[in-house]
Amino acid sequence: QRPVLLRSLLLLAVLVAGYGYFTLLIPDMATRLGHLGLFCSVFTISMYLSPLADLAKIVRSKSTRCLSFPLTVTTFLASTSWTLYGLQLHDPYITVDPLLQVPNVPGIITSVLRFWLFWQYPPGPDR
């Protein structure tokens, strides 16, 4: 219980520090929005990559037991819909910035990789 609480508090501290940084240290609104977009993009990419943390375990065991198929489907749908929305708005922080490569296109790519893992390595009898 304690390590989970400490990690949660650390993440909360990062968010509070980010809020303070954006509201107190960056007076120019355009600069603030640019930095905030990048900050949010980093968290979005982290969210999309997190299910792949067990990639070595999946390949070694030849089983996708530790992956969630419903999460893979919803991640694919969410990242694709946000990418299409960002393309309509011409917003680089929603779709993909050619220089920064953020944030929803990696969600599509990692979802397709997870679909391939489900096809390549069945979940096994425990599921």
Side-chain angles (χ1 to χ4, degrees), residues 90-110:
H90 304 289
D91 187 329
Y93 292 112
I94 295 176
T95 52
V96 70
D97 185 319
L99 299 175
L100 302 174
Q101 299 297 308
V102 291
N104 286 299
V105 171
I108 296 169
I109 294 167
T110 59

Side-chain angles (χ1 to χ4, degrees), residues 28 59 62:
D28 179 51
V59 172
K62 297 188 184 324

Side-chain angles (χ1 to χ4, degrees), residues 1-102:
Q1 291 287 353
R2 188 174 180 152
V4 172
L5 178 63
L6 290 175
R7 283 189 224 146
S8 299
L9 289 174
L10 177 64
L11 290 174
L12 181 62
V14 168
L15 288 175
V16 169
Y19 178 79
Y21 171 76
F22 293 117
T23 57
L24 301 173
L25 299 177
I26 303 178
D28 179 51
M29 184 59 79
T31 305
R32 183 185 301 170
L33 287 176
H35 288 182
L36 181 60
L38 182 60
F39 184 77
C40 293
S41 295
V42 168
F43 280 111
T44 300
I45 291 171
S46 299
M47 176 192 67
Y48 288 142
L49 293 177
S50 64
L52 296 177
D54 293 326
L55 188 60
K57 180 179 172 183
I58 293 167
V59 172
R60 251 185 280 119
S61 68
K62 297 188 184 324
S63 173
T64 52
R65 235 176 302 158
C66 61
L67 281 180
S68 167
F69 189 76
L71 179 63
T72 301
V73 171
T74 55
T75 299
F76 179 75
L77 293 174
S79 58
T80 302
S81 61
W82 275 109
T83 298
L84 294 173
Y85 178 69
L87 286 171
Q88 289 293 311
L89 293 179
H90 304 289
D91 187 329
Y93 292 112
I94 295 176
T95 52
V96 70
D97 185 319
L99 299 175
L100 302 174
Q101 299 297 308
V102 291

